[in-house]
Amino acid sequence: MQHAAELCTLLVDEVYGQLTSRVFSTLLRVGRMPLVALVQKTDLQPRQLRHALAVLIQQHLVLHYTAPHTEATFYEADWKAAYGLIRSGKVRRLLDETVSSASGDVVSNLLLLGHTRVGDLLKSYSAASSKEIGKVSNPKATVNGGSNGHKLPNGSSLSEDSANTEAISRSTGDLQLNLRTLLDTGFVSGVRMEHFRPPADNHAEAERIVRERQFPDGPKGNKGQAVLAEEIRKKMREWRDDEFRPATTNGIIKNSKRPAEDSLPSNRAKKLKYDPSALLPEVVDENGDEEDQKAIVDENLVVRVNEGKCQVAWRNQRLVELAERRVGTVTSVVYKNFLEKLTEPLRRCQDELATPPADDDEPEEDLSVSTFELFKHMDPEIDLASSIRIASQDEEDHKPKSRMSNGRRRRRVNDDDVTVVGDVSPDESEEDEEEESVNIPEVDQDSNEEEADGDYVATMTARNSRMRHIETHLELLAEDSHHFVQPSMFNKDRWTVDFRALVTHLKNLALDDIIRSRWDQTAMRVERILREKGKLDERQLANVALAPAKHIRVLLAEMHEAGYLELQEVPRDNTRAPSRTFYLWFFDLERCTKIVLEDLYKCLARLVQRGRSEREKIKDLLKKAERTDVVGMEDKYLTQQEREELKRSRDIEERLLLQMERVDDLIAVLRDF
């Protein structure tokens, strides 16, 4: 963790300055300590130290816990939160692509603030909107403030003032709508006091509460210990997820109907003169429930960005990219919509507080999606029939076995022969409309002639045909060697995903690329063989890899020195002589992942240092280019040499940032997914 600590210190210094990075690096290096010890270690004045701690706690970079009896506060650095500073741009881009650009603006402000109260955020947006409206609507306001006719003292008319007030209200209402969307999707979550405490202290506090309330005499036996551990996890999940907020659901007030003003005190009626919920668009749900039509966010709710949900979205993107390479573009679009629907309730990729399953083969998450749910979620404009077709009975007679688009044979599913081809012909599309839908009740033609018209029959036929196409794409994903989807264990009509196996595939592919780029193709082949076969000696490896023994011996020594491979000695007898010993090579995925992560942290730290070094070379030119009178007028105030130097520096910074993003993608695969 040496290079990880160095990287986090550089990031804190880059964003918040030298004072905060000095305190943060001390907590990382020394560990948990009270304020008195921190003053001695940092050689800072208590006032300076409190200012630095306030910034770090506001950004959730430092956690603290006050003991109930001694009243001494201990501080502890959170290096993972500090590493999240490097992903601020990726989080903003993700929200722009998946939600909206306005939601991306809200998330950017939350990333800058760390956490904030919704009411304070609304006030700041309202103030910013009024300032911008004042600049636009009053460019020539009277200096003496005199009024003329229906003009207000600032020079604007009554109609203009009403329009400005409406614009400010609409901006605040849009913010309420964006916050409600972010809370519903999980990209923004509420903040509790327990979120500022270290996990070990939360565990100890939860254990103390559970023991006092439910186990005053202590747990009895192994069953009692298991119940105690589960109750502790339940309490910690309650603190983390903020599931039991009184009178609200996820920080959203459900019953936001405006009471009559005459039934309230006069001061309360004045406060309710403007109702932000009135500006929210009325979205009626499928059940016709209008309870949530004007649901607004509680202004007393403290919110922050939930990076765990962003990791879920990034994992979906990597899986969709892998499916596109292996199956096809249209099928990957279906898979993208499937993952979006499947991961809606997920708030993080790895849940350390989840109840461990009784059997290792049991899936971690009981998440599944039916074909009909996916049909409703997908955009109807997506063309699903252009890349697949369902073979007719005549083609089945002439084609005993079907093939996929890449030429590999595939097995038949539910006695339907599905073949991946190019574009569908008109006669084939007519045959598709006549196919029966899987797991969807067919339209009874006799009853429909009496109860429905031909349009209803055509609609049902088109729906059944489209659902059959969706089912076929899901079957293609399930039949791949990676098994992107699979039938649910509890309901065969629903589909689920084994994220643990897929993430393991992603890790193996990432390690394969790293080993191939560091050594050669033979080294990657050796690593794959050991991963699949287990422990092998040098001679067996040479035979399986079809490579010379001398070359294999050199590669094994280099990879073992780098920590990518492990060696086990198995003596033939008690003498343990080298000539009477088997030397078995094997691959440890967990150990190799830790070594690669440390190398990636070191790489990121060097990239950050290189960026700072490049900026230091032209710091005077950067100060000149950032002046307000120079911005936008570079051709007038900068020489040709200065413009070329500035362009060269920006190109270098862009390449460094691109490389940092690629390295961070590898870290996300190896650590976060």
Side-chain angles (χ1 to χ4, degrees), residues 257-481:
K257 295 182 179 179
R258 180 178 173 182
E261 292 186 3
D262 52 358
S263 64
L264 298 172
S266 58
N267 57 349
R268 180 58 176 166
K270 293 179 181 179
K271 290 183 180 180
L272 290 177
K273 184 177 181 179
Y274 160 62
D275 184 9
S277 64
L279 298 173
L280 295 179
E282 296 185 358
V283 181
V284 183
D285 57 3
E286 299 176 356
N287 298 326
D289 187 8
E290 299 182 359
E291 182 182 2
D292 297 339
Q293 292 182 15
K294 293 186 178 182
I296 62 175
V297 183
D298 184 8
E299 294 189 1
N300 294 322
L301 178 67
V302 181
V303 294
R304 66 171 178 178
V305 177
N306 180 21
E307 188 179 346
K309 184 64 177 181
C310 299
Q311 294 173 3
V312 173
W314 291 328
R315 182 180 64 181
N316 292 348
Q317 292 178 356
R318 295 302 295 265
L319 293 177
V320 170
E321 293 173 0
L322 180 61
E324 183 178 4
R325 293 198 304 265
R326 294 186 61 87
V327 184
T329 303
V330 180
T331 307
S332 67
V333 174
V334 177
Y335 192 47
K336 176 183 177 182
N337 286 270
F338 176 82
L339 290 177
E340 289 177 355
K341 183 64 177 177
L342 184 71
T343 58
E344 280 182 356
L346 285 182
R347 294 296 180 261
R348 58 194 55 84
C349 293
Q350 301 176 3
D351 190 0
E352 64 279 1
L353 299 179
T355 303
D359 189 6
D360 295 337
D361 297 334
E362 185 179 351
E364 294 182 358
E365 297 286 347
D366 187 15
L367 298 175
S368 60
V369 175
S370 66
T371 308
F372 184 68
E373 292 174 349
L374 184 58
F375 165 76
K376 294 191 298 182
H377 179 75
M378 288 189 61
D379 185 3
E381 300 297 328
I382 299 176
D383 185 12
L384 301 178
S386 61
S387 61
I388 60 172
R389 68 180 177 85
I390 302 176
S392 62
Q393 186 64 34
D394 295 338
E395 292 174 332
E396 288 184 3
D397 297 337
H398 293 85
K399 283 187 176 182
K401 295 183 180 179
S402 60
R403 292 180 179 269
M404 296 179 65
S405 58
N406 55 8
R408 294 181 301 173
R409 295 185 184 275
R410 59 185 301 273
R411 63 181 183 271
R412 297 171 62 185
V413 180
N414 295 332
D415 295 332
D416 290 328
D417 191 6
V418 182
T419 306
V420 178
V421 296
D423 296 331
V424 65
S425 60
D427 56 346
E428 291 169 348
S429 62
E430 293 176 359
E431 292 175 358
D432 291 341
E433 293 179 355
E434 297 176 359
E435 290 293 327
E436 294 182 355
S437 175
V438 175
N439 297 326
I440 299 298
E442 270 304 306
V443 180
D444 190 356
Q445 299 294 337
D446 296 334
S447 60
N448 284 332
E449 290 177 356
E450 299 176 357
E451 299 177 0
D453 54 3
D455 293 338
Y456 176 77
V457 176
T459 302
M460 294 298 296
T461 304
R463 189 193 74 169
N464 292 339
S465 176
R466 185 170 180 82
M467 291 186 64
R468 179 59 187 140
H469 291 148
I470 294 175
E471 188 83 14
T472 305
H473 283 287
L474 293 177
E475 290 171 359
L476 291 174
L477 291 168
E479 291 178 1
D480 188 83
S481 60

